[in-house]
Structure formats: structure tokens, C-alpha cells
Amino acid sequence: LYDYVALPGGSAAFLVADVSGHGVSADKLTGIVKSSFRSSSIDLFDPLAVVERIWSSLGSFEHDRFVSAFAAVLNETEKRLDYVNAGHPGPFMWKKSQSAARDLASLESTGPILSPAIQTRIWEKKTVAVEPGDRLLVYTDGISEAVDPDGVFFGEERISAHIEAHPEGGAVLVSELFRSLDRFSAGRPQPDDLTVLTA
């Protein structure tokens, strides 16, 4: 799932999360994640508060249930991105030059997946500077782990190659990424969700 909220001053909070399992239990867990994000308005959507609120809401689930999540606040005034990556695939961040993506970086995990088996708060919030023209692509593992007819993963290398080819990001990058995924999988349905958020 993904969600986002506009904040004063041109800033924004957003969340991309992936819950384990399928069916009614996964639906319930998805609802809890979304509710946890929305109720974090009291904390101005601070990414650490979002992640810890999701984690504290998992107590009624079995230990085999878990959530990976990337929660962030893009602060336009202070030119920074505050984020927590709880066991989620590392989003890509880059600087858009006139013809290509520069300084492509992955915002790696800052703590483990969210699970009722974890007993203590162990996630860390990090901050990266952002400038006009910087781009961000957040995705679920359904993208990187999409498979072709031979069982080969799409992989992070193909994602980064699409960024290099479409450094402007936005709708162009997302459209081309999904077109490529469809060709890669030869039109077959994928076993996992395909979720992307770009900023």
C-alpha cells in the first residue's frame, strides 16, 4: 500500500508499506498500517513515530505476520528528507542532470521489518539533504522480484537502468518501468503486488 499527505509549506509525508500474507488477515493488517499512518498527524507524520505506531499496533497478530515500510517527510523549506526504512527495499534517490541521473543512491534499511516478535524500539530515523531537481523512487519487492517465464528476477539493476534512461522521474519513469515489467514477464500475472511511488 501507499499513502501520502500534503503538509504546510509545500512539504509532504508519505508511506510505502508491504504486509505479509494474503486474504482477510492481510487485509486487516493493511487497514491497521494505513490507520497508523493517518493517526500520526498528531506527531506531524514524523517517520519514526509512524513506524513505531505501526509496530505497536501489531500485538494482536501472530509472530509470522510482518510489515516492511518506508515512511518519510519531505521538508521543502529545510530542503531535507527525513525517513525510516523498516526492512523495506532501498528506495532510489538521484539528482536529475540535463541528460542523465547522477549520484544514484539507495536509502538502505534503518531497522528490521515490523513484527510482533520484536520487543524493543530499534528503528533509526535518518536525514538526507535534497535540492531542486532531486528525485526519489520507492517500490515494493513485487517490482524487484517480478519474474520472467524462466524464473529470473527483474532485480534492482533493471530498476536503476530505467532511472538512468528516464532521469526526469515522475509519470514517464513509472510508465516505462511498468511497460518493461510487462514485457519481462511476457504478460503473465505476477504473484506479488507491484507498487511504486515517485517524488
Side-chain angles (χ1 to χ4, degrees), residues 24-164:
V24 174
S25 179
D27 287 346
K28 180 181 175 185
L29 186 52
T30 299
I32 286 173
V33 172
K34 189 174 181 73
S35 176
S36 296
F37 175 70
R38 287 290 169 156
S39 64
S40 296
S41 60
I42 194 170
D43 300 303
L44 301 178
F45 297 96
D46 176 78
L48 191 56
V50 170
V51 164
E52 290 184 349
R53 186 170 273 110
I54 295 170
W55 168 68
S56 66
S57 300
L58 301 181
S60 63
F61 288 88
E62 297 295 327
H63 286 187
D64 63 345
R65 290 300 191 184
F66 56 87
V67 179
S68 73
F70 182 84
V73 171
L74 180 60
N75 188 315
E76 187 176 40
T77 303
E78 298 184 15
K79 293 184 171 57
R80 73 173 200 260
L81 179 77
D82 298 326
Y83 72 92
V84 175
N85 183 345
H88 200 75
F92 285 107
M93 191 169 183
W94 69 96
K95 297 183 180 300
K96 178 189 172 292
S97 67
Q98 290 186 347
S99 59
R102 294 186 299 110
D103 303 326
L104 184 64
S106 179
L107 304 180
E108 298 298 337
S109 179
T110 64
I113 58 171
L114 303 163
S115 165
I118 296 174
Q119 300 298 312
T120 57
R121 291 174 164 83
I122 50 178
W123 296 274
E124 180 184 359
K125 179 170 69 175
K126 290 194 175 180
T127 299
V128 292
V130 294
E131 297 294 339
D134 286 357
R135 301 289 192 267
L136 180 72
L137 182 75
V138 190
Y139 59 94
T140 57
D141 62 7
I143 301 290
S144 55
E145 295 178 3
V147 292
D148 72 4
D150 296 321
V152 176
F153 284 153
F154 190 74
E156 293 180 357
E157 296 79 10
R158 286 186 177 88
I159 298 173
S160 61
H162 276 78
I163 292 170
E164 292 286 350

